[in-house]
Amino acid sequence: MKVKVISRSTDEFTRERSQDLQRVFHNFDPNLRTQEKAVEYQRALNAAKLDKIFARPFIGAMDGHIDAVSCMAKNPNYLKGIFSGSMDGDIRLWDIANRRTVCQFPGHQGAVRGLTASTDGSTLVSCGTDCTVRLWNVPVATIMDSDNLSDCSSEPRAVYMGENAFWAVDHQWNGDLFATAGAQVDIWNHNRSQPVNSFKWGTDSVISVRFNPGEPNLLVTSASDRSIMLYDLRVSSPARKLIMRTKTNSISWNPMEPMNFTAANEDCNCYSYDARKLEEAKCVHKDHVSAVMDIDFSPTGREFVTGSYDRTVRIFQYNGGHSREIYHTKRMQRVFCVKFSCDASYVISGSDDTNLRLWKAKASEQLGVLLPREQKRHEYNEALKNRYKHLPEVKRIVRHRHLPKPIYKAGVLRRVMIEAERRKDQRRKAHSAPGSIVTEPMRKRRIIKEVD
């Protein structure tokens, strides 16, 4: 004969220590919880609302420059350090954690247009409109962390003269070479006062240059003649050239997918390309209402940040057509440079109002050390929002962003103009012979031609 009894061991519900949480057991039978979906949906709704309540992305401003911040560079060897250069020739090294200037590098007689750090973080390379390239010794982390900054070196280690103004500089991810952009693309070595190689394709100035993170000998540039050019240091001539309808201000490679890069364009959009297939953009990233001035990928390669002439900073998914976040303040003016921090947790922007601003990459992220229970709670809320993100109410709350009135009006006007142009194309096509007018997708429309 079977006898059913209820039995339990004290080990299953007794706490080992008085500080431990009381164990609670749940029966997950769906028949006992008929309202489980409704409860989860309400929790997802509350999580989306709480995100809006706790969205405080702005952390602080770093003041010290006396002219517009024109360029920035990360120190790959030191998480808290970032370099900035301004239009009056001043270069500063900042401690992001304390938001203070650690070291100054005076010497440039004109605007500083490009900054980059070597792979080991020991050398800073700067260039500007005074036709010079300067190499500086970067103070070590122990000096940066101390309060005594008298040992900081402020004299350039080397000064290399050029014939024309320089507009950008970038260092190899692995190697001793760096490239400058100006009237031509020059390849330099740390120990030589003359370029080891030079490339020129066309007569217009090159305004940005970026080395590939995966292939050290490959670099991409953009020029004022609206072109994007790929160079290979192993051959004597440029590899490929893409001509667009408007100028590209800056370019950034995806560090996790080194064959892809994204270009920040004058027409308010960003275009992601595959370097192996330049005849069509992989994705068009829209939302800005003025020229996009700078772009930088997150170290994770899943998103990038852009700064625009419309006085806003936006964060895009690497494959998303619209921004997931927009940052702005009343005092921030035209944004000339943006960077992701090396741990992908923060965004730094430099603007026309002489300030660097520090933002959280996730607007509602809680700073500081989180308890395990807090961490689990955040992860649970994220999972809930992700599960119910397609529902109208959750989608509306998550997507909503407050915009300043000038940007909102400019966005409305831009949408009206795009819609009018689309209607005009439709009517032209309807009143033409069948097949005589072919509608090109947006990914191809802004490309004029590709030159090999």
Side-chain angles (χ1 to χ4, degrees):
M1 183 178 67
K2 290 183 179 179
V3 178
K4 294 183 179 180
V5 296
I6 298 175
S7 65
R8 60 178 181 171
S9 171
T10 54
D11 295 335
E12 294 179 355
F13 61 88
T14 306
R15 293 182 292 182
E16 294 180 1
R17 294 178 296 274
S18 60
Q19 291 84 10
D20 290 349
L21 295 176
Q22 190 72 42
R23 296 185 182 182
V24 179
F25 293 93
H26 295 285
N27 186 345
F28 292 103
D29 183 4
N31 296 323
L32 298 177
R33 291 181 172 80
T34 55
Q35 298 295 318
E36 187 174 14
K37 289 285 185 185
V39 170
E40 269 195 353
Y41 170 72
Q42 193 60 44
R43 286 176 181 170
L45 210 56
N46 291 340
K49 292 176 181 177
L50 286 173
D51 257 7
K52 295 298 172 190
I53 292 173
F54 292 118
R56 298 288 185 272
F58 181 63
I59 297 174
M62 292 177 277
D63 192 12
H65 286 293
I66 58 173
D67 207 340
V69 181
S70 56
C71 54
M72 290 192 298
K74 292 180 282 193
N75 188 340
N77 203 33
Y78 189 64
L79 186 64
K80 296 195 297 180
I82 192 163
F83 303 97
S84 66
S86 69
M87 299 296 280
D88 65 339
D90 184 26
I91 302 173
R92 290 172 180 252
L93 172 59
W94 300 86
D95 181 1
I96 299 177
N98 298 313
R99 300 205 290 277
R100 65 188 178 110
T101 301
V102 173
C103 192
Q104 288 183 261
F105 304 93
H108 279 284
Q109 301 302 313
V112 181
R113 303 302 309 198
L115 287 174
T116 185
S118 60
T119 311
D120 58 1
S122 63
T123 303
L124 173 68
V125 183
S126 65
C127 68
T129 55
D130 57 355
C131 307
T132 62
V133 176
R134 296 171 188 260
L135 273 62
W136 314 80
N137 289 322
V138 178
V140 294
T142 53
I143 295 177
M144 289 184 63
D145 289 330
S146 66
D147 292 328
N148 182 19
L149 303 176
S150 58
D151 298 332
C152 176
S153 171
S154 59
E155 292 297 321
R157 191 177 75 197
V159 180
Y160 303 149
M161 297 296 297
E163 296 180 359
N164 304 96
F166 295 105
W167 294 99
V169 64
D170 194 42
H171 200 284
Q172 277 184 325
W173 288 60
N174 291 307
D176 297 327
L177 302 178
F178 63 91
T180 57
Q184 59 189 7
V185 178
D186 294 323
I187 311 300
W188 305 74
N189 191 303
H190 285 217
N191 302 316
R192 297 186 61 177
S193 60
Q194 295 297 323
V196 296
N197 203 350
S198 294
F199 297 98
K200 190 166 186 178
W201 194 349
T203 58
D204 288 273
S205 297
V206 182
I207 54 177
S208 72
V209 58
R210 284 288 182 273
F211 272 101
N212 189 292
E215 175 51 65
N217 294 310
L218 188 66
L219 65 137
V220 64
T221 65
S222 66
S224 55
D225 63 351
R226 313 187 311 276
S227 63
I228 297 174
M229 289 170 282
L230 284 169
Y231 295 89
D232 194 334
L233 303 186
R234 294 164 294 191
V235 296
S236 58
S237 60
R240 302 172 76 183
K241 183 176 184 178
L242 178 73
I243 300 177
M244 300 188 67
R245 294 190 182 277
T246 44
K247 186 175 69 171
T248 297
N249 289 317
S250 183
I251 295 174
S252 182
W253 291 94
N254 188 332
M256 291 292 109
E257 298 173 357
M259 75 291 292
N260 298 332
F261 65 88
T262 302
N265 206 272
E266 281 276 329
D267 66 353
C268 315
N269 297 334
C270 296
Y271 299 89
S272 291
Y273 290 98
D274 188 330
R276 303 163 298 183
K277 187 184 176 185
L278 290 177
E279 63 267 16
E280 181 180 0
K282 291 186 68 176
C283 186
V284 180
H285 312 274
K286 309 173 183 178
D287 266 353
H288 281 295
V289 295
S290 190
V292 187
M293 303 302 295
D294 197 17
I295 182 172
D296 188 47
F297 259 96
S298 164
T300 62
R302 312 311 289 175
E303 54 190 17
F304 60 87
V305 60
T306 59
S308 172
Y309 211 72
D310 62 11
R311 307 190 297 278
T312 63
V313 175
R314 289 182 186 263
I315 299 176
F316 292 83
Q317 299 290 339
Y318 78 105
N319 57 357
H322 295 276
S323 60
R324 73 159 179 87
E325 203 65 77
I326 175 171
Y327 296 155
H328 54 86
T329 66
K330 288 184 178 179
R331 294 170 184 246
M332 185 164 71
Q333 298 302 310
R334 297 167 293 196
V335 182
F336 289 142
C337 49
V338 286
K339 289 291 178 190
F340 251 106
S341 64
C342 292
D343 61 352
S345 298
Y346 302 98
V347 168
I348 303 101
S349 66
S351 51
D352 204 12
D353 57 311
T354 76
N355 283 340
L356 274 75
R357 286 180 173 81
L358 187 62
W359 313 82
K360 289 187 282 189
K362 295 180 180 176
S364 58
E365 186 179 21
Q366 185 177 345
L367 297 180
V369 180
L370 295 180
L371 296 173
R373 292 182 71 186
E374 290 178 316
Q375 185 65 37
K376 287 181 180 178
R377 183 66 183 174
H378 288 313
E379 291 171 359
Y380 177 62
N381 285 342
E382 284 297 321
L384 281 176
K385 285 189 296 179
N386 193 47
R387 185 173 188 177
Y388 293 96
K389 64 183 178 183
H390 61 283
L391 296 179
E393 192 67 15
V394 177
K395 183 194 288 187
R396 183 187 65 82
I397 294 171
V398 169
R399 287 181 55 187
H400 176 74
R401 295 289 182 276
H402 174 73
L403 296 175
K405 186 178 285 187
I407 294 168
Y408 177 78
K409 287 185 174 180
V412 171
L413 181 62
R414 181 169 167 76
R415 285 192 294 273
V416 169
M417 292 164 64
I418 291 172
E419 179 64 21
E421 187 178 352
R422 187 187 66 82
R423 285 199 310 269
K424 188 175 181 179
D425 288 341
Q426 282 182 343
R427 289 167 183 164
R428 185 185 291 117
K429 189 174 182 180
H431 291 82
S432 302
S436 61
I437 295 180
V438 179
T439 303
E440 284 190 323
M442 188 66 183
R443 298 190 304 275
K444 290 184 177 180
R445 201 178 303 160
R446 304 299 297 177
I447 299 172
I448 296 178
K449 65 176 179 177
E450 182 185 1
V451 184
D452 287 330

